[in-house]
Amino acid sequence: MSTITFAEKIAEAQDFLPINGTDHIEFYVGNAKQAAHYYKTAFGFQSLAYAGPETGVRDRASYVLQQGKIRIVLTTALKSIHPISDHVKQHGDGVKILALWVDDAYSAFKETTRRGAMSYLEPETRTDEHGEVRISGIYTYGETVHLFVERKNYTGSFLPGYQPWKNDYNPTETGLLYIDHCVGNVGWNRMNETVKWYERVMGFVNILSFDDKQINTEYSALMSKVMSNGNGYSKFPINEPAEGKKKSQIEEYLEFYEGEGVQHIAVATKDILATVGELKARGVEFLSPPPETYYDLMPERIGEIDEEIEKLKALGILVDRDEEGYLLQIFTKPVEDRPTLFFEIIQRKGAQSFGAGNFKALFEALEREQESRGNL
Ligand code: FE2
């Protein structure tokens, strides 16, 4: 087993694109008002900002929600003839924008397009009474976009054009703190191309790779490579389907998303037992738990941990260990009717990896769901 730590691998990344973390994630959805209610009620996000007809935006409505350092934006077009409507028609509800918080949005655009990125938004400066935000954007896999957001001279609630969103309905938070990683699914033979794109265009490094021999079940397989920026604040694992006896979950995603896109968003908590207990009580649906034997074998596989195994078992939480520590994780069912985007809840206790030891248990649970949809 390799003794190179993630910190050492990450140190090889190039720093022409300094990133301070995830700025926000924007979803294009069919009904942003109802989606916002779901994320407030079920996940405990708080109302932050709004843009729409009442604030002078004529063609769309956007609701911005916040919890910990996580900001999500839910946007719907108000007319059928609109790029957002086209996006929703093809992909269903899904992630359009993975926005990165940078120190210089103009330089981020220049450095990435110079290295071959396709432009989505030429650098521009947006201003209001709270200051200015500089913003630019490039396309990544599928129709997904990385925006670069520079907000050092801005004190408003979100971005110019948005008003603070005051609301009397404010369910409590569930302990979600920050985005740990966002995973993309790409098509056949597209993983290495995408990995090279992150290396060349973004200066990222490949910190972890899994092939189809490591990630497989009786029926299906996939390949995955994790890309990270230089400080480890931005991690984008990339999955590609692999040949198996039956259709893999990645193929099911690609079929129903009608293209490449974001498969899951992993959000971190400091207390996964409390967070998942709360999410379940509020109606968030999780993948079916692994078989009993998974927990029977846990002491042997993982060794000493702080949590009681009975409590983890009651909630179906998975545990994995690497050289640096352990992590606890659980996956929701897709959060829309198409079997596409889902969430991961993760608590890291030293481990910087992604739960490879759980892949088999996880994918067998995914396949049980897939079979129930008639898509296996
Ligand atoms: Fe993940």
Side-chain angles (χ1 to χ4, degrees):
M1 198 170 257
S2 146
T3 51
I4 301 173
T5 64
F6 285 101
E8 284 161 345
K9 281 189 192 168
I10 283 169
E12 291 165 21
Q14 294 177 45
D15 62 356
F16 60 81
L17 178 58
I19 295 170
N20 303 317
T22 306
D23 189 89
H24 65 272
I25 296 179
E26 183 165 5
F27 301 67
Y28 283 176
V29 299
N31 187 338
K33 177 177 267 196
Q34 288 191 4
H37 191 279
Y38 172 75
Y39 284 104
K40 285 172 69 169
T41 304
F43 284 86
F45 281 93
Q46 307 294 305
S47 306
L48 180 68
Y50 171 80
E54 300 85 346
T55 69
V57 176
R58 303 305 306 165
D59 66 332
R60 67 178 76 189
S62 294
Y63 298 77
V64 188
L65 304 174
Q66 184 166 35
Q67 184 166 187
K69 291 181 179 168
I70 311 162
R71 273 192 299 245
I72 62 172
V73 184
L74 300 151
T75 295
T76 294
L78 301 179
K79 291 278 173 64
S80 64
I81 311 290
H82 197 289
I84 295 170
S85 297
D86 295 340
H87 198 278
V88 171
K89 183 181 179 210
Q90 182 176 348
H91 303 294
D93 288 6
V95 171
K96 174 65 178 178
I97 290 168
L98 295 169
L100 305 171
W101 172 29
V102 298
D103 290 331
D104 188 336
Y106 281 66
S107 143
F109 184 84
K110 194 174 126 209
E111 295 295 336
T112 52
T113 51
R114 188 159 85 79
R115 289 170 169 82
M118 187 165 66
S119 167
Y120 169 76
L121 176 69
E122 295 267 334
E124 62 183 39
T125 302
R126 299 180 189 170
T127 56
D128 67 8
E129 69 270 32
H130 304 291
E132 65 170 45
V133 172
R134 306 206 306 165
I135 193 160
S136 63
I138 59 171
Y139 280 98
T140 175
Y141 47 79
E143 290 198 278
T144 317
V145 163
H146 285 311
L147 279 189
F148 302 120
V149 183
E150 172 192 337
R151 47 172 74 255
K152 53 180 177 280
N153 297 314
Y154 193 66
T155 57
S157 57
F158 180 54
L159 292 174
Y162 284 80
Q163 300 289 328
W165 177 20
K166 300 264 185 277
N167 198 285
D168 293 334
Y169 178 64
N170 300 298
T172 54
E173 300 193 347
T174 59
L176 305 178
L177 296 174
Y178 60 88
I179 305 286
D180 188 273
H181 59 276
C182 290
V183 181
N185 281 344
V186 299
W188 292 96
N189 301 314
R190 279 267 302 133
M191 181 178 68
N192 286 333
E193 205 180 308
T194 310
V195 162
K196 285 200 187 87
W197 185 92
Y198 273 99
E199 287 171 348
R200 187 183 74 242
V201 169
M202 306 276 283
F204 281 36
V205 283
N206 175 207
I207 56 168
L208 208 52
S209 300
F210 304 100
D211 64 22
D212 46 341
K213 307 278 175 304
Q214 291 160 290
I215 312 183
N216 64 73
T217 66
E218 190 186 345
Y219 297 124
S220 69
L222 67 84
M223 297 183 284
S224 187
K225 289 191 175 179
V226 181
M227 304 307 293
S228 173
N229 81 319
N231 54 19
Y233 292 169
S234 235
K235 293 197 206 79
F236 298 123
I238 307 294
N239 294 334
E240 175 187 319
E243 291 292 349
K245 274 193 220 160
K246 296 192 179 182
K247 191 193 285 177
S248 74
Q249 41 142 330
I250 310 300
E251 285 173 274
E252 188 195 35
Y253 175 100
L254 294 169
E255 183 184 320
F256 282 88
Y257 196 70
E258 297 189 23
E260 301 181 346
V262 174
Q263 178 211 36
H264 76 264
I265 300 168
V267 289
T269 170
K270 260 197 261 181
D271 184 350
I272 198 165
L273 287 168
T275 295
V276 172
E278 190 61 32
L279 293 172
K280 284 200 169 179
R282 296 179 187 207
V284 175
E285 296 178 313
F286 290 88
L287 289 181
S288 54
E292 293 244 333
T293 51
Y294 176 89
Y295 293 98
D296 297 341
L297 297 172
M298 194 178 273
E300 204 178 306
R301 190 169 68 86
I302 305 296
E304 193 93 335
I305 55 172
D306 303 333
E307 296 73 15
E308 284 173 43
I309 290 182
E310 279 308 310
K311 289 187 177 165
L312 298 172
K313 186 173 161 183
L315 292 169
I317 293 167
L318 308 173
V319 187
D320 195 25
R321 185 178 276 287
D322 65 22
E323 292 103 322
E324 296 176 80
Y326 69 100
L327 63 82
L328 306 107
Q329 63 188 166
I330 189 169
F331 299 85
T332 72
K333 290 185 181 180
V335 290
E336 55 286 299
D337 289 298
R338 296 195 198 192
T340 54
L341 176 75
F342 59 90
F343 284 84
E344 171 182 351
I345 312 299
I346 184 167
Q347 181 179 7
R348 294 188 180 277
K349 293 199 153 179
Q352 295 304 311
S353 54
F354 296 84
N358 289 323
F359 284 172
K360 202 176 171 71
L362 165 66
F363 295 149
E364 283 169 353
L366 277 167
E367 282 169 4
R368 287 194 288 276
E369 308 279 338
Q370 214 178 315
E371 189 163 31
S372 74
R373 294 189 285 263
N375 291 332
L376 186 64

